[in-house]
Amino acid sequence: MDYKDFGLVNTKRMFADALKNHYAVPAFNFYNMETLSAIINASRNTHSPVILAVSESALKYMGPDLLRGMIWGLNLSPNDNIALHLDHGSSFESCVTAIKLGFSSVMIDGSKLPFDANADLVKTVTEFAHQYDVSVEAELGTLSGIEDENTQSTTSSYTNPDDVVNFVERTNADSLAIAIGTSHGAYKRKSDNEELRFDILAAVAKQLPDFPLVLHGASSVPEHFIKTINEFGGQLTNARGIAPDQLRRAVQMNICKINVDSDSRLAFTAGVRQHLAQNPENFNPRDYLAAGRKNIYENCLDEIKNIMQSGK
Ligand code: G3H
Ligand code: 13P
Ligand code: ZN
């Protein structure tokens, strides 16, 4: 199935426009009808492009047929500016599977491999994907935290700006995720004073002046969701995200895709916990799932406006 039959687009034109106009395209992860509809409605109501990100474990959770049915049901056209993206693809085969399912963009994550092995892997993926006009994201440098339910890295290494030109030329990747101090999950910083490594970002952007850079692990972990979760029975202590002003600063320095998953998880959990605690007699999943969905929708609207600056 060709992604164009779904009315999807790849990320090339979105990123060119984002770079030119200094905004970031949001990549929001989804894994069911509620998360997908919240993200799409936020995108439609702000006229923002959006990248629908699906991890390998989310693909397994939904199943390929249901996932394709939901994308089909969105009735998209290229004017909607929506990409369907494999997040943290772990192998060439995984990227091929996604492309055959109708994904318009894939990430091949060789970030834990040595430089040469990472570059070789990305090259095999770009050679395949570009035949189908599918865009490819690669990663150089490693983030800490949980990237997939199967992998958790405890170490991180910043991207070396001296490597990036060689890597992009060798691989023909369409965008590059870099490590400048973000990490996956809800526990990103020990104190409010910790800053991203803008010196590294500036050096990378200088080497690759017109090239789309990507920030993973960029949830801002809104305090009000943590407060609500903890108020209604949760136990999330010391959760801390990336401050929105730091993300906005990164957007002005060629970051044109910002990945957000944890914020939606927190938004959803806060809505469900609050609803169930306040309505102990209720056992209708549509009611508490709607509360979670509403929170994700509102948070996506907020981030599109105040972090990504991608709405019209
Ligand atoms: O960065 C990756 C996402 O947060 C995916 O997590 O594999 O649990 O869906 P997941
Ligand atoms: P967060 O855990 O910060 O939401 O990061 C999500 C991500 O990078 C998905 O690829
Ligand atoms: Zn990620």
Side-chain angles (χ1 to χ4, degrees), residues 212-229:
L213 301 176
V214 175
L215 214 49
H216 280 250
S219 275
S220 46
V221 185
E223 262 177 49
H224 63 281
F225 292 137
I226 302 296
K227 198 165 161 271
T228 303
I229 289 171

Side-chain angles (χ1 to χ4, degrees), residues 112-304:
K112 292 182 192 72
L113 299 172
F115 182 92
D116 285 328
N118 185 0
D120 290 346
L121 176 62
V122 175
K123 190 159 184 280
T124 59
V125 174
T126 55
E127 279 173 356
F128 182 83
H130 287 169
Q131 295 176 70
Y132 301 92
D133 207 14
V134 167
S135 34
V136 178
E137 175 183 324
E139 180 169 334
L140 203 51
T142 48
L143 274 64
S144 62
I146 300 168
E147 287 185 347
D148 185 274
E149 62 189 20
N150 303 316
T151 55
Q152 159 132 34
S153 58
T154 46
T155 52
S156 63
S157 64
Y158 296 119
T159 305
N160 182 347
D162 294 337
D163 288 341
V164 294
V165 172
N166 180 13
F167 188 79
V168 167
E169 282 177 0
R170 245 175 91 167
T171 60
N172 216 6
D174 301 292
S175 59
L176 185 67
I178 57 169
I180 58 165
T182 59
S183 61
H184 292 99
Y187 302 92
K188 299 185 191 298
R189 294 177 302 145
K190 293 200 173 54
S191 83
D192 288 332
N193 303 329
E194 269 178 53
E195 279 220 341
L196 297 180
R197 289 290 303 269
F198 289 105
D199 56 327
I200 297 177
L201 175 53
V204 171
K206 194 170 171 204
Q207 295 293 323
L208 294 172
D210 298 312
F211 193 78
L213 301 176
V214 175
L215 214 49
H216 280 250
S219 275
S220 46
V221 185
E223 262 177 49
H224 63 281
F225 292 137
I226 302 296
K227 198 165 161 271
T228 303
I229 289 171
N230 290 339
E231 196 177 324
F232 294 106
Q235 283 183 2
L236 299 180
T237 39
N238 299 325
R240 203 178 263 113
I242 310 296
D245 65 325
Q246 298 219 3
L247 294 169
R248 284 192 292 270
R249 190 170 155 197
V251 171
Q252 299 312 313
M253 299 168 75
N254 289 11
I255 292 292
C256 63
K257 170 174 178 270
I258 291 190
N259 286 21
V260 169
D261 187 359
S262 296
D263 286 350
S264 298
R265 295 179 183 203
L266 293 166
F268 199 84
T269 303
V272 172
R273 276 195 181 278
Q274 179 167 9
H275 182 92
L276 288 175
Q278 290 178 342
N279 300 276
E281 77 297 344
N282 187 308
F283 62 98
N284 185 343
R286 287 202 301 266
D287 293 337
Y288 54 81
L289 294 178
R293 174 164 72 173
K294 181 166 176 283
N295 270 6
I296 296 187
Y297 169 75
E298 284 169 358
N299 190 64
C300 288
L301 282 186
D302 182 52
E303 296 197 351
I304 284 170

Side-chain angles (χ1 to χ4, degrees), residues 47-164:
H47 306 283
S48 169
V50 93
I51 295 169
L52 298 170
V54 180
S55 67
E56 289 176 352
S57 46
L59 176 56
K60 197 167 150 207
Y61 177 75
M62 288 181 276
D65 291 338
L66 208 47
L67 162 65
R68 279 148 46 101
M70 287 196 290
I71 298 296
W72 187 255
L74 296 175
N75 286 317
L76 298 173
S77 89
N79 288 337
D80 292 315
N81 227 356
I82 308 287
L84 180 64
H85 173 79
L86 177 69
D87 193 25
H88 293 284
S90 60
S91 63
F92 171 74
E93 292 73 21
S94 175
C95 294
V96 170
T97 300
I99 292 166
K100 289 187 174 162
L101 285 173
F103 282 59
S104 60
S105 171
V106 292
M107 174 191 192
I108 175 68
D109 185 354
S111 62
K112 292 182 192 72
L113 299 172
F115 182 92
D116 285 328
N118 185 0
D120 290 346
L121 176 62
V122 175
K123 190 159 184 280
T124 59
V125 174
T126 55
E127 279 173 356
F128 182 83
H130 287 169
Q131 295 176 70
Y132 301 92
D133 207 14
V134 167
S135 34
V136 178
E137 175 183 324
E139 180 169 334
L140 203 51
T142 48
L143 274 64
S144 62
I146 300 168
E147 287 185 347
D148 185 274
E149 62 189 20
N150 303 316
T151 55
Q152 159 132 34
S153 58
T154 46
T155 52
S156 63
S157 64
Y158 296 119
T159 305
N160 182 347
D162 294 337
D163 288 341
V164 294

Side-chain angles (χ1 to χ4, degrees), residues 16-64:
D17 193 64
L19 274 176
K20 192 168 145 222
N21 294 303
H22 307 289
Y23 65 87
V25 180
F28 292 123
N29 287 71
F30 79 96
Y31 26 84
N32 59 13
M33 181 278 281
E34 285 77 11
T35 46
L36 178 60
S37 65
I39 295 163
I40 280 292
N41 286 336
S43 154
R44 285 186 169 146
N45 289 339
T46 52
H47 306 283
S48 169
V50 93
I51 295 169
L52 298 170
V54 180
S55 67
E56 289 176 352
S57 46
L59 176 56
K60 197 167 150 207
Y61 177 75
M62 288 181 276

